[in-house]
Amino acid sequence: MQALPPLQQILGTIPWVLVGGLALRAYIPERMTLDIGILIHEHDGDAARQALSNAGYQMSGPLSIGGFSLQAADPATPPLDILTRTDAWVDEALAHPIYDAAGYPVLARPYLILLKLSAGRTQDLADVQRLVAYTSEDERNAYRILVAQEAPELSEDLEALFTLADLEFGAKEEGA
């Protein structure tokens, strides 16, 4: 399991959750990644930037999907990608994280699926496919409802990823 810097200590009371490759480890086998992605509410962006700067991180640039990237003084430390969002679901997601085996807050699966589906990058869509593999119809219906409410234009993409997951990994047997 990839180690993380002491983000709880650095960010203090700023609500945050893991997203990206490291968040997957709460649900499926961890995927190696070159950065640490976290999500915060946009209104906490300046405070997070200041706290991370105080901890020795330097700004390396903006993220095209909203937020910013920072690098620690030690080049061996993975960069931090801080996603900042204002979506209606963000407060709810930050208030109800789940926790990985190391005790870090992680974006709950439905919101992680929504975020990765919205990003639309090849790796994110592959992550969604793995996240929905072996899920029950009830779970999938919950994902459908969230996507329909927050990003209805992505509903067809979600259905396609359900199909691909079932083809690659096999459909979950009823009652299993």
Side-chain angles (χ1 to χ4, degrees):
M1 188 174 282
Q2 187 172 340
L4 276 80
L7 293 173
Q8 287 116 325
Q9 190 176 21
I10 294 169
L11 294 174
T13 61
I14 298 169
W16 63 276
V17 289
L18 285 173
V19 295
L22 292 180
L24 297 176
R25 69 188 184 186
Y27 306 106
I28 56 180
E30 183 174 347
R31 170 172 60 77
M32 235 3 241
T33 183
L34 299 176
D35 59 14
I36 298 168
I38 69 169
L39 170 71
I40 63 172
H41 197 285
E42 188 174 82
H43 62 66
D44 289 324
D46 290 338
R49 191 178 293 113
Q50 185 61 53
L52 289 159
S53 175
N54 292 345
Y57 284 84
Q58 293 186 346
M59 209 40 183
S60 51
L63 295 174
S64 62
I65 55 176
F68 48 94
S69 189
L70 303 116
Q71 180 63 55
D74 177 2
T77 301
L80 292 176
D81 286 344
I82 313 298
L83 279 68
T84 58
R85 303 288 295 240
T86 60
D87 304 81
W89 56 267
V90 171
D91 287 326
E92 176 70 18
L94 290 172
H96 298 97
I98 64 124
Y99 292 86
D100 68 12
Y104 290 100
V106 175
L107 191 60
R109 189 187 302 235
Y111 298 114
L112 187 58
I113 289 169
L114 177 61
L115 185 67
K116 288 183 160 292
L117 197 58
S118 298
R121 298 175 306 178
T122 303
Q123 186 59 63
D124 290 309
L125 297 177
D127 289 344
V128 171
Q129 182 180 336
R130 291 176 56 219
L131 283 165
V132 301
Y134 310 116
T135 55
S136 70
E137 197 59 28
D138 286 344
E139 290 170 294
R140 289 181 179 194
N141 285 335
Y143 309 150
R144 285 179 179 111
I145 291 167
L146 181 64
V147 169
Q149 288 172 343
E150 301 296 334
E153 70 280 5
L154 298 174
S155 293
E156 286 183 30
D157 295 340
L158 180 63
E159 293 301 327
L161 290 168
F162 288 153
T163 300
L164 289 172
D166 291 347
L167 289 171
E168 184 169 347
F169 301 107
K172 183 172 182 167
E173 295 179 27
E174 289 304 313

